[in-house]
Amino acid sequence: MVSVQNFTRSSIGQFEATISGAWPQELSGHIFVAAPYHQIGERHLFGGAGVTIRWDLAPQNGKVKLLCKRVNTWDSFWQDLLPLTWRQRAFFPARMSLFGIAEPANTGVVNMNGRLLLTADAGRYWEIDPVTLETITPVGYFDEHIISVPLSFFPMVANTAHPFYDPETGELISCELKCVPRPGQLFYDMISQVYITVWDGKGTLKHWELDGTRLDGSPHTIILTEECAMIPDMPFQMGLTTLMGLKVPPTNAYPHTQVYVVDRKDLTAANYKVPARLVTFPGDSYHFLCNYRHNDGNIQMVAVQQGTISLTQSLEPCDVMHFTGKPYSEEYWGIPWMFGFDPGVLRKVVIGDGQVIQEEAFIHPGWYSTMLYTADPREQFTASGYSAIYQGYSGYWRDFICRRQYLAFRDHPNRILTDQKLPTHNLPSVLARIPLAEDWKMLTEQLEKEQQEHPERELPSLGHEFLDFYVFPDHCLLDSIQYIPQGKGYIFTKVFAENHLEAWLFAADNLKNGPIAKLTLPDTVNFGFTLHSEYFEKLVSAPPSYRVDRVSCALRSLAKVPREFIFNQPDQVLNR
């Protein structure tokens, strides 16, 4: 069992990792990883300010160097100066004070043509210098953003942790939300108006409202093609009262994936509202892998799905382990409900003429908790698109499943397994390559047949004859993963290995043979539970041309934001 103390250890500084195995001598480039910075008193695993971790892949004397620095957002200065005034409400990431709401910037990484941005589902994006990892500037003054709550110096910006940089237009495309009361249900969490946000990297942000569109949950990501921008309504709730830690119950999320599709040609200066078509398909989706080019006019994507989890809920002092009834020790408090008690699902979806025209699911009976994924970025803008998705499954860890989580999802309509079919022991992490050209329904049926005919086989190992995957040892937990686009490709993974941190390198075309090399850090060094990552071929210092002035930002937050929020003048806020 992995030590949970390692989930919340945050080492800052420059370190060297020792290489074992056959690390490719020609390997170069850099991997940037986002993570929360954990401090004493944090009440949620994803609640800390952002940390930037850079792995320099070129080996030197049998070692690989890495650098880790905290993201110094402007609210973090006040958090360090007056820590008692900043509080996390309940067991959720939001941290608030009289100064406003903290900007975590701890979830996603964006490569904006060599510029490095760190992102989160709340707060502005922050530019980081790729060379020094110094915090440079936020993206936009607050009055340039859509504001959910006009609080003091740091009002709340609700957005997506995964904006999309389009190298063909030179634009960063995202979405932002504005909280509005739920009609007829004032004592439930709010819903959100939705806006597409575009930034050219140097000027003012521009916004377009999706006409007649409201979200129950969080978008978490924007999906982009050459012709469309798509906003998903995720099945986990991140409304205003949830973010603020108020004990107001969220409504149950719609049990299927909803995606609002906008034609990019409508995003013009002539209007500030655009029409959106609603597309619905089965499953609880959290991430998407989408081809940039349309194929015969159709959108092709993969939805990464996992039932029985909630990232906005976490273990609390009142919780007990579902399968044993034992209480949790304090070190578990704040770990999200991110380990499911149902197999993970990958769903291929084809959308044409504003509707789903084809979908098929891949389900492995021994692979649980779809977390992070990666793919070959060299394929993204080709006519044929992606050939495979590399999916990380964190596993089935019974001790992390509390009674509240079980009761919340026991009767969920998307649940695959009944209680009687749940494994009676933990199942390990898995890294798998799933080809997109294969018939996923047939693959799933083959796995079901093998399970029935060979009940003696270990569940995670089913399909070894026709799938390429690696089952991690029982004492390891797979975390962040990143494709390295060099040669035939490599998969870089971060692994919790008992009481220390390792990084394992796989050949992308041969996962089943295991890691070709490992990087081991000293036992005193750990970065906790890391999140998304991005590959940079080279390092270039952040350009000096774009900066948000700190004093001016504070004054504009106090003067302009409340006026625009209260009087709701879209011609002054949208599409400036």
Side-chain angles (χ1 to χ4, degrees):
M1 182 69 177
V2 175
S3 173
V4 295
Q5 289 97 335
N6 288 337
F7 284 10
T8 56
R9 292 169 58 190
S10 294
S11 301
I12 301 296
Q14 188 166 356
F15 310 100
E16 290 185 335
T18 302
I19 297 173
S20 60
W23 188 269
Q25 293 300 306
E26 71 279 6
L27 206 59
S28 62
H30 313 269
I31 291 176
F32 289 87
V33 186
Y37 179 72
H38 299 285
Q39 303 178 84
I40 296 174
E42 296 288 0
R43 305 183 73 189
H44 192 286
L45 187 62
F46 302 153
V51 166
T52 311
I53 305 165
R54 189 187 75 213
W55 295 80
D56 299 328
L57 300 177
Q60 299 180 21
N61 301 319
K63 297 181 183 296
V64 163
K65 292 184 177 181
L66 62 155
L67 179 63
C68 179
K69 284 191 179 182
R70 182 179 171 186
V71 180
N72 290 314
T73 57
W74 294 340
D75 61 273
S76 66
F77 167 81
W78 295 105
Q79 290 192 52
D80 293 340
L81 184 65
L82 302 170
L84 295 180
T85 65
W86 292 82
R87 294 291 186 185
Q88 279 183 291
R89 301 282 300 177
F91 278 79
F92 194 75
R95 184 181 288 275
M96 299 185 304
S97 83
L98 295 176
F99 294 97
I101 295 181
E103 300 186 275
N106 65 9
T107 306
V109 182
V110 178
N111 184 345
M112 192 173 175
N113 193 28
R115 295 170 70 177
L116 171 63
L117 301 181
L118 255 65
T119 66
D121 288 295
R124 296 170 297 179
Y125 305 146
W126 284 77
E127 183 166 9
I128 310 297
D129 189 291
V131 178
T132 64
L133 299 193
E134 295 295 332
T135 305
I136 302 299
T137 182
V139 173
Y141 292 89
F142 277 113
D143 58 282
E144 294 181 46
H145 291 270
I146 302 299
I147 299 300
S148 288
V149 182
L151 288 178
S152 191
F153 296 104
F154 304 108
M156 189 175 99
V157 177
N159 48 22
T160 169
H162 300 291
F164 186 98
Y165 174 67
D166 189 342
E168 298 196 353
T169 65
E171 296 172 322
L172 183 74
I173 302 175
S174 178
C175 71
E176 296 187 351
L177 310 177
K178 183 175 182 179
C179 296
V180 294
R182 190 181 296 272
Q185 294 179 304
L186 296 179
F187 297 102
Y188 284 84
D189 204 350
M190 291 188 174
I191 54 179
S192 302
Q193 293 177 347
V194 192
Y195 303 80
I196 288 179
T197 300
V198 177
W199 183 51
D200 62 5
K202 55 188 177 182
T204 301
L205 279 70
K206 300 181 182 298
H207 308 275
W208 288 264
E209 181 181 351
L210 275 61
D211 198 7
T213 302
R214 300 292 185 269
L215 297 189
D216 278 317
S218 163
H220 187 61
T221 187
I222 189 167
I223 314 164
L224 205 80
T225 71
E226 57 186 336
E227 299 178 14
C228 298
M230 292 167 277
I231 311 295
D233 192 358
M234 295 296 198
F236 61 93
Q237 310 300 80
M238 289 188 68
L240 172 63
T241 56
T242 303
L243 282 168
M244 297 179 68
L246 303 178
K247 294 296 184 179
V248 176
T251 58
N252 292 328
Y254 185 67
H256 299 299
T257 298
Q258 303 178 99
V259 178
Y260 292 92
V261 184
V262 173
D263 290 331
R264 293 179 65 180
K265 61 180 176 59
D266 291 334
L267 304 177
T268 67
N271 58 335
Y272 59 83
K273 283 191 177 183
V274 293
R277 293 158 290 166
L278 175 60
V279 174
T280 305
F281 53 86
D284 299 313
S285 301
Y286 288 85
H287 293 112
F288 299 86
L289 178 72
C290 186
N291 289 339
Y292 183 80
R293 307 292 178 198
H294 288 217
N295 189 336
D296 294 330
N298 297 327
I299 300 168
Q300 297 177 318
M301 70 170 68
V302 175
V304 179
Q305 303 182 331
Q306 180 64 58
T308 70
I309 66 170
S310 173
L311 301 183
T312 55
Q313 296 280 350
S314 63
L315 300 178
E316 299 183 10
C318 63
D319 283 320
V320 297
M321 300 178 186
H322 169 63
F323 295 102
T324 65
K326 296 179 180 179
Y328 286 98
S329 57
E330 187 173 351
E331 63 193 16
Y332 282 84
W333 300 350
I335 295 177
W337 297 357
M338 58 186 181
F339 298 99
F341 54 97
D342 220 24
V345 178
L346 299 180
R347 191 176 300 275
K348 275 195 300 189
V349 179
V350 179
I351 299 173
D353 295 326
Q355 62 183 350
V356 174
I357 59 177
Q358 182 182 347
E359 60 93 5
E360 57 188 51
F362 170 80
I363 305 172
H364 191 293
W367 298 352
Y368 283 60
S369 305
T370 51
M371 289 283 193
L372 306 179
Y373 74 92
T374 191
D376 188 347
R378 296 172 295 190
E379 299 176 338
Q380 182 174 16
F381 295 94
T382 63
S384 56
Y386 291 109
S387 62
I389 182 173
Y390 293 82
Q391 181 63 50
Y393 296 82
S394 292
Y396 174 65
W397 301 91
R398 291 163 59 87
D399 285 354
F400 289 112
I401 300 169
C402 69
R403 184 67 46 80
R404 281 193 306 123
Q405 178 183 354
Y406 168 77
L407 292 175
F409 294 103
R410 174 179 58 185
D411 301 316
H412 197 280
N414 290 334
R415 192 175 170 194
I416 299 169
L417 298 182
T418 62
D419 285 358
Q420 291 73 22
K421 293 183 179 180
L422 283 176
T424 57
H425 54 83
N426 291 338
L427 297 178
S429 298
V430 173
L431 175 63
R433 177 185 183 274
I434 312 300
L436 301 189
E438 297 283 344
D439 185 324
W440 283 9
K441 181 180 179 182
M442 184 178 297
L443 289 178
T444 300
E445 292 173 349
Q446 285 181 265
L447 291 166
E448 292 174 348
K449 182 179 179 182
E450 183 179 351
Q451 183 182 13
Q452 294 171 358
E453 295 178 352
H454 299 279
E456 77 284 357
R457 293 181 181 174
E458 295 288 338
L459 271 179
S461 66
L462 297 177
H464 231 291
E465 295 181 358
F466 53 89
L467 291 172
D468 185 23
F469 60 90
Y470 176 77
V471 179
F472 284 80
D474 292 340
H475 63 274
C476 293
L477 175 65
L478 175 62
D479 191 6
S480 300
I481 64 175
Q482 178 62 47
Y483 193 101
I484 302 174
Q486 295 184 28
K488 294 184 177 180
Y490 300 93
I491 307 297
F492 182 92
T493 66
K494 181 208 159 188
V495 179
F496 287 104
E498 293 187 298
N499 292 321
H500 62 278
L501 167 68
E502 294 184 345
W504 295 9
L505 188 71
F506 293 82
D509 60 351
N510 193 351
L511 302 180
K512 63 178 58 178
N513 278 359
I516 61 175
K518 296 181 180 181
L519 302 176
T520 303
L521 285 163
D523 292 345
T524 56
V525 178
N526 206 311
F527 305 121
F529 201 90
T530 58
L531 298 171
H532 296 275
S533 57
E534 188 62 79
Y535 173 81
F536 280 54
E537 184 177 353
K538 59 183 179 179
L539 301 180
V540 179
S541 295
S545 55
Y546 183 83
R547 297 290 186 274
V548 170
D549 182 75
R550 190 167 187 165
V551 175
S552 177
C553 182
L555 295 175
R556 290 167 65 165
S557 295
L558 293 174
K560 296 187 66 175
V561 168
R563 185 179 74 250
E564 292 180 345
F565 181 88
I566 293 171
F567 294 105
N568 193 28
Q569 299 169 304
D571 59 325
Q572 296 182 17
V573 181
L574 304 180
N575 196 11
R576 300 172 189 268

